[in-house]
Amino acid sequence: MQRSLRQTTSVLVACITLAALSPALAQGRGGPAQVFVQEATTSRFVDRIEAIGTLRANETVEITATVTDTVTGVYFDDGARVGVGDTLLTMADGEERALLEEENAAAEEARRQLNRARTLVGQGSISRSVMDERNRAYETAVARRRALQSRLKDRVISAPFDGVVGLRRISVGALVTPGDIITRIHDDGVMKLDFSVPSTFLSSLKPGIAIRAKARALEGREFEGEISSLDNEIDPVTRSIIVRALLQNEDRVLRPGLLMSVELLRNPREAVSIPEEAIVPIARETYAFVAVERDGVMIAERRRIVIGARRPGEVEVIEGLSAGEAIVTRGAGQLQPDQAIIVRANGTQGDTLENLLGSDAATNTPADG
């Protein structure tokens, strides 16, 4: 109850103080106005472009057969992670292995005949043309053996890179033909995010610019990345260009096909910033009041300013102010140029009126004793 009473008292003090400030602020040049000030600071600003993009895996391949034969083994599970070279599927290869044994024997015999011919040519027993014929026979046998070895390799399907496989679409004993999809494999260590940006921003788009991306399906988690490349043409219908950014995916939560909202962060810079409430618009111009001392009196000097980017509670000042100057925040809308002022409190970003009034009361409370 005591805490509730203190809170109620604090709110009443704030209301009474505001009521007391209103006549003072309305005095115009007739007397000093009581105001709150805050120092202009330097903050980091960026220009933001919003877009919608779709995720793609860094590499994606549909695993298919290249020959027609029967499946003898499947060596992966749905959604399993595999490494480059891991065997995924094997097919019947008994005939090819038998033919390979036959070609190995033929190649070995051709090699022996070639070696014998070389010896006889050295002794002058046979002509050079006979040795050339034996050499051609050996090379032909070796070529046939390589062809059979290649046919054997076609019956063993391996992972082309590290990644995650999708759902298995084939079973042991099935007859597969060229083009039948066995599964898909994605390299999801790095994800590609493709999104469209209006061509009016083309001059400011380049590799290396930072982006932020979110997906509603991932409960608002934010992912950071950067632009890697731009498409080589602008869509003549939408007048936009496809931009590709790369996102790291160490925890593997990003999946191909996911829709993401993108914030493109361009033109990063350090600039003077002031509270949004310090801005005083007059006609088409924008002003702010600066607390300065002249002849021992604090006055409100009106400055014309040029503002840039905005964010909640804060604006960028391009021209007219310097960091460290005391900017009038609360009470600025009632001031006249060069009006005398009394600074009630010097606040910081995010201070509430109650905090400022409490700080002011603490400053003006005499010590006990």
Side-chain angles (χ1 to χ4, degrees):
M1 181 178 294
Q2 291 180 352
R3 181 178 299 175
S4 176
L5 182 59
R6 284 198 298 270
Q7 292 176 345
T8 303
T9 304
S10 176
V11 173
L12 288 174
V13 169
C15 294
I16 293 170
T17 306
L18 277 177
L21 283 177
S22 297
L25 293 173
Q27 289 174 3
R29 292 184 178 275
Q34 301 184 49
V35 298
F36 299 101
V37 301
Q38 181 177 318
E39 284 190 0
T41 58
T42 301
S43 299
R44 184 174 179 81
F45 286 88
V46 292
D47 296 330
R48 288 177 168 82
I49 303 173
E50 295 183 352
I52 299 294
T54 302
L55 274 179
R56 304 180 189 278
N58 186 41
E59 302 290 348
T60 298
V61 169
E62 288 187 340
I63 304 297
T64 62
T66 58
V67 296
T68 299
D69 223 319
T70 304
V71 176
T72 58
V74 178
Y75 303 99
F76 68 92
D77 296 321
D78 296 344
R81 295 208 163 269
V82 296
V84 58
D86 287 354
T87 299
L88 303 179
L89 180 141
T90 57
M91 289 179 281
D93 59 0
E95 181 180 353
E96 283 69 25
R97 288 190 179 278
L99 291 173
L100 180 60
E101 291 177 1
E102 180 181 347
E103 290 302 331
N104 282 334
E108 180 62 22
E109 177 60 24
R111 184 186 64 80
R112 287 196 296 268
Q113 293 294 336
L114 176 60
N115 290 338
R116 186 177 299 113
R118 286 172 178 168
T119 302
L120 294 175
V121 165
Q123 297 173 354
S125 301
I126 62 174
S127 65
R128 182 77 183 183
S129 62
V130 173
M131 192 196 75
D132 291 342
E133 183 180 347
R134 301 284 173 81
N135 186 58
R136 284 194 300 272
Y138 172 69
E139 290 178 349
T140 300
V142 170
R144 286 199 300 265
R145 181 172 62 183
R146 287 175 182 167
L148 279 169
Q149 289 172 339
S150 177
R151 288 168 59 183
L152 271 174
K153 288 180 64 177
D154 288 340
R155 283 159 173 77
V156 178
I157 298 178
S158 304
F161 46 75
D162 297 341
V164 58
V165 295
L167 301 178
R168 179 163 59 91
R169 304 187 184 184
I170 211 76
S171 299
V172 174
L175 179 68
V176 294
T177 59
D180 289 348
I181 297 177
I182 297 167
T183 188
R184 286 190 180 90
I185 181 171
H186 298 301
D187 174 9
D188 59 351
V190 176
M191 302 297 290
K192 296 173 181 176
L193 180 59
D194 293 347
F195 54 94
S196 297
V197 176
S199 58
T200 52
F201 297 108
L202 185 60
S203 61
S204 61
L205 297 175
K206 60 181 179 180
I209 293 179
I211 67 142
R212 293 174 183 166
K214 295 180 181 179
R216 183 175 297 178
L218 299 178
E219 300 179 350
R221 281 188 57 182
E222 189 172 85
F223 300 85
E224 296 185 353
E226 62 180 32
I227 292 177
S228 63
S229 57
L230 282 72
D231 200 358
N232 60 355
E233 63 180 1
I234 296 173
D235 190 314
V237 177
T238 63
R239 301 301 175 187
S240 61
I241 186 170
I242 301 296
V243 179
R244 173 166 290 175
L246 298 182
L247 302 177
Q248 296 299 320
N249 189 30
E250 292 88 352
D251 51 3
R252 303 301 196 273
V253 296
L254 298 176
R255 292 176 179 267
L258 187 65
L259 186 69
M260 303 194 78
S261 59
V262 186
E263 258 192 358
L264 184 63
L265 309 178
R266 66 187 184 99
N267 189 25
R269 61 198 180 276
E270 296 290 330
V272 176
S273 66
I274 62 174
E276 195 171 22
E277 60 191 346
I279 295 176
V280 181
I282 301 177
R284 296 185 177 180
E285 305 292 342
T286 305
Y287 296 87
F289 284 94
V290 182
V292 296
E293 185 176 350
R294 289 184 186 171
D295 301 326
V297 179
M298 293 297 296
I299 66 167
E301 179 181 283
R302 192 172 74 179
R303 299 265 188 92
R304 179 182 175 276
I305 61 174
V306 178
I307 62 174
R310 291 174 178 258
R311 54 195 181 202
E314 190 177 10
V315 296
E316 175 191 15
V317 179
I318 300 174
E319 295 179 7
L321 295 175
S322 300
E325 292 187 298
I327 311 301
V328 177
T329 54
R330 290 177 172 85
Q334 306 290 339
L335 293 176
Q336 299 293 328
D338 299 329
Q339 180 179 352
I341 58 174
I342 298 173
V343 177
R344 291 292 305 273
N346 193 333
T348 57
Q349 180 68 25
D351 276 343
T352 64
L353 179 60
E354 185 178 345
N355 290 340
L356 292 172
L357 292 174
S359 171
D360 177 57
T363 303
N364 296 328
T365 301
D368 293 338

